[in-house]
Amino acid sequence: MKTTTTTKTRNVREVTLDILLQIEKNQAYSNLLLNSAIKHHQVSSIDVGLLTEIVYGTIQRKLTLDYYLSPYLKNPGKIEDWVVILLRMTLYQMHYLTRVPDRAAIFEAVEVAKKRGHKGIASMVNGVLRSVQRAGIRPIDCKDDMEQLSIETSFPLWLVKRWVGQYGLEETRQLCEATLQHPISSARVNRSIHSVDEVLKKLADEDIIAQRGELSVDSVTIDKGNFIHTTAYQEGFLTIQDESSMLVTRALGIKENEVILDSCAAPGGKTTHIAELLQNTGKVVAVDLHEHKVKLINEQVARLNLSNVETLVMDSRKLLDHFKKETFDRILVDAPCSGLGVIRRKPDLKYQKNEKDIKALASIQSTILESVVPLLKKGGTLVYSTCTMDKEENDEVVERFLESHPSFERDRELIERLPNKIRGNAIYKDGQIQILPHHFGTDGFFIACLRKRV
């Protein structure tokens, strides 16, 4: 007889601890681990929200939580990693989640400690958490402003110092504080076949409370419900995308019948936006190095019923071997980057990156730009974008490119293709904008528009 096995449903705190431990030890991505764990451990729909909140919240506030715990841990270096994480995630519930009573959070932590360790560890966990409960949360008091900001917003000190040098203390404070807020759930309407109002009505018919986005003309934002489970999504009415990301494609200034290159295209959000703006004319060539990522692009193209997308598995730095010079009217280089602009959605990134990573990425970004330049027609437009906020990956890459390519100039008409709200709110200069998370409540994004002289 054939037997079947089922995955045992586990306590939500145990699953949370496993996820956080994997992120800490293996630098695994929180969003991927979370989705996998929910399926694997059969987490109930009731508990999914709590699991998600504790996982992301504990990561977001890691340095702050460690500061609060430090007076109660005499020899932290001798405490096993899982115990520290258990204390951290429990304190997060006690301090930041009003709907979880302290006694319930502490009880659950002690029970997990008993299962995973022994009575001694359970007693220590109980003692530390009870001590914090009795004494209350101590105020953060650092002599140095940047160290204070680092602990308050749980950003590594090296990154705070770096951004203070680039943006100043107050702008950096607002930037860091904004990343601690929940991200806005937004989607791009396929306006080549449906208006925003039509999509809003269709969503309302499915009990989704949504409204027009505040930044992009192509966007809707959700107040209640989930886009993914709607027929509007399944039938290609919309695509999940952050509003600041939607501005990248608008920056290209697309006209019908053009041939456009998206040189770093996966997972396909900007590729499909380009195709929609072409109104089923012309062609967009979407390139990515990895076959499994190109598959994701093709899936989106099929869902949206687009007929003007050609995908290609290739290193963008070798495209000149595949295409003739001056093949494309417009080129988008949405370059691989540190991703620091999406920390709200992927909080683990801020602990995994370092200054060497940023320098290495800046070199790759410059190389990609150099490689695709010959493919652009005279008079054509090149848009360089990243979902990060570091000037070494953004401003400095563009400056170096312009210095070595006198045939290019900044496209000062960029501002005319973007929403009026950009003026006076984002950081704009000479054909480029830097959007920081606190400007519009979106992801951080950099967009530079360059034109090849005729």
Side-chain angles (χ1 to χ4, degrees), residues 213-233:
E214 294 187 1
L215 184 60
S216 170
V217 295
D218 301 308
S219 69
V220 292
T221 57
I222 192 167
D223 296 322
K224 184 180 178 182
N226 190 325
F227 287 131
I228 295 291
H229 301 310
T230 64
T231 56
Y233 176 81

Side-chain angles (χ1 to χ4, degrees), residues 261-361:
L261 171 66
D262 185 355
S263 63
C264 308
K270 298 177 186 68
T271 293
T272 52
H273 196 188
I274 293 170
E276 290 167 8
L277 294 179
L278 282 170
Q279 296 288 331
N280 208 35
T281 69
K283 181 171 69 174
V284 51
V285 177
V287 179
D288 197 89
L289 180 60
H290 304 287
E291 188 171 353
H292 70 280
K293 291 187 176 182
V294 170
K295 183 181 177 183
L296 294 176
I297 301 172
N298 287 327
E299 288 172 356
Q300 293 302 313
V301 169
R303 184 181 61 82
L304 294 163
N305 298 307
L306 298 169
S307 60
N308 55 347
V309 178
E310 177 185 310
T311 55
L312 182 64
V313 180
M314 180 173 277
D315 187 331
S316 292
R317 292 168 290 190
K318 298 178 180 179
L319 284 173
L320 198 55
D321 297 336
H322 191 83
F323 295 102
K324 293 180 179 180
K325 290 183 178 180
E326 299 186 12
T327 294
F328 298 98
D329 298 287
R330 301 176 198 272
I331 295 177
L332 170 61
V333 178
D334 186 44
C337 69
S338 61
L340 297 173
V342 298
I343 284 175
R344 227 187 307 215
R345 302 176 195 279
K346 300 177 181 178
D348 34 304
L349 280 174
K350 59 184 173 181
Y351 311 115
Q352 295 175 358
K353 300 297 180 182
N354 58 51
E355 290 186 282
K356 288 183 179 178
D357 293 332
I358 291 173
K359 190 169 291 294
L361 284 162

Side-chain angles (χ1 to χ4, degrees), residues 27-284:
Q27 293 197 340
Y29 290 117
S30 54
N31 57 328
L32 300 179
L33 265 180
L34 191 60
N35 293 334
S36 175
I38 289 169
K39 292 178 182 177
H40 181 72
H41 295 294
Q42 301 172 6
V43 179
S44 69
S45 57
I46 296 173
D47 286 334
V48 166
L50 179 62
L51 173 65
T52 303
E53 175 66 44
I54 299 174
V55 168
Y56 281 127
T58 302
I59 300 169
Q60 285 280 32
R61 304 278 185 173
K62 174 183 170 183
L63 301 184
T64 311
L65 293 167
D66 286 351
Y67 179 89
Y68 292 148
L69 285 169
S70 59
Y72 307 98
L73 304 179
K74 293 180 181 179
N75 296 300
K78 295 183 179 180
I79 302 174
E80 291 185 71
D81 289 344
W82 72 264
V83 179
V84 175
I85 292 171
L86 179 60
L87 289 168
R88 200 183 278 156
M89 59 180 263
T90 306
L91 182 55
Y92 175 78
Q93 296 167 72
M94 294 167 64
H95 186 50
Y96 294 103
L97 298 187
T98 55
R99 68 180 182 274
V100 179
D102 286 1
R103 65 180 183 279
I106 294 172
F107 173 80
E108 292 283 356
V110 172
E111 290 301 302
V112 171
K114 286 178 184 177
K115 280 186 180 181
R116 195 165 191 129
H118 50 73
K119 286 185 178 180
I121 291 177
S123 178
M124 187 272 279
V125 167
N126 184 62
V128 169
L129 295 173
R130 293 291 180 191
S131 295
V132 176
Q133 185 186 32
R134 283 193 300 271
I137 297 296
R138 65 177 179 139
I140 298 170
D141 185 18
C142 303
K143 293 181 180 179
D144 180 76
D145 286 342
M146 286 186 278
E147 186 181 355
Q148 178 85 13
L149 180 57
S150 168
I151 300 299
E152 285 178 347
T153 60
S154 196
F155 266 85
L157 184 57
W158 73 267
L159 196 48
V160 170
K161 287 181 176 179
R162 188 176 177 92
W163 284 345
V164 168
Q166 294 178 3
Y167 294 110
L169 181 62
E170 188 50 38
E171 190 92 64
T172 301
R173 180 184 304 282
Q174 293 182 56
L175 182 167
C176 293
E177 288 175 348
T179 65
L180 298 175
Q181 305 302 313
H182 288 291
I184 296 169
S185 182
S186 60
R188 186 190 78 238
V189 174
N190 183 354
R191 294 177 67 208
S192 66
I193 51 175
H194 302 288
S195 70
V196 172
D197 287 337
E198 286 172 340
V199 171
L200 286 173
K201 183 179 184 305
K202 189 168 181 64
L203 290 171
D205 291 340
E206 298 187 63
D207 297 323
I208 302 293
I209 300 175
Q211 58 188 339
R212 284 179 174 270
E214 294 187 1
L215 184 60
S216 170
V217 295
D218 301 308
S219 69
V220 292
T221 57
I222 192 167
D223 296 322
K224 184 180 178 182
N226 190 325
F227 287 131
I228 295 291
H229 301 310
T230 64
T231 56
Y233 176 81
Q234 293 162 5
E235 294 175 1
F237 283 44
L238 41 78
T239 297
I240 307 303
Q241 190 177 17
D242 186 78
E243 284 195 84
S244 60
S245 178
M246 297 177 204
L247 302 185
V248 174
T249 307
R250 287 289 179 181
L252 280 164
I254 294 166
K255 296 177 182 178
E256 292 184 17
N257 296 307
E258 291 183 326
V259 179
I260 299 174
L261 171 66
D262 185 355
S263 63
C264 308
K270 298 177 186 68
T271 293
T272 52
H273 196 188
I274 293 170
E276 290 167 8
L277 294 179
L278 282 170
Q279 296 288 331
N280 208 35
T281 69
K283 181 171 69 174
V284 51

Side-chain angles (χ1 to χ4, degrees), residues 326 328-331 333 368-384 398-412 448-454:
E326 299 186 12
F328 298 98
D329 298 287
R330 301 176 198 272
I331 295 177
V333 178
I368 293 173
L369 278 173
E370 292 284 344
S371 302
V372 301
V373 160
L375 300 173
L376 185 65
K377 294 178 181 179
K378 290 182 175 65
T381 299
L382 171 66
V383 167
Y384 172 76
V398 172
E399 289 291 346
R400 280 199 305 274
F401 176 81
L402 287 171
E403 285 174 7
S404 59
H405 293 83
S407 60
F408 278 81
E409 61 185 354
R410 294 180 181 276
D411 184 356
R412 292 176 174 81
C449 192
L450 311 172
R451 182 172 289 153
K452 192 173 186 180
R453 292 187 174 94
V454 177

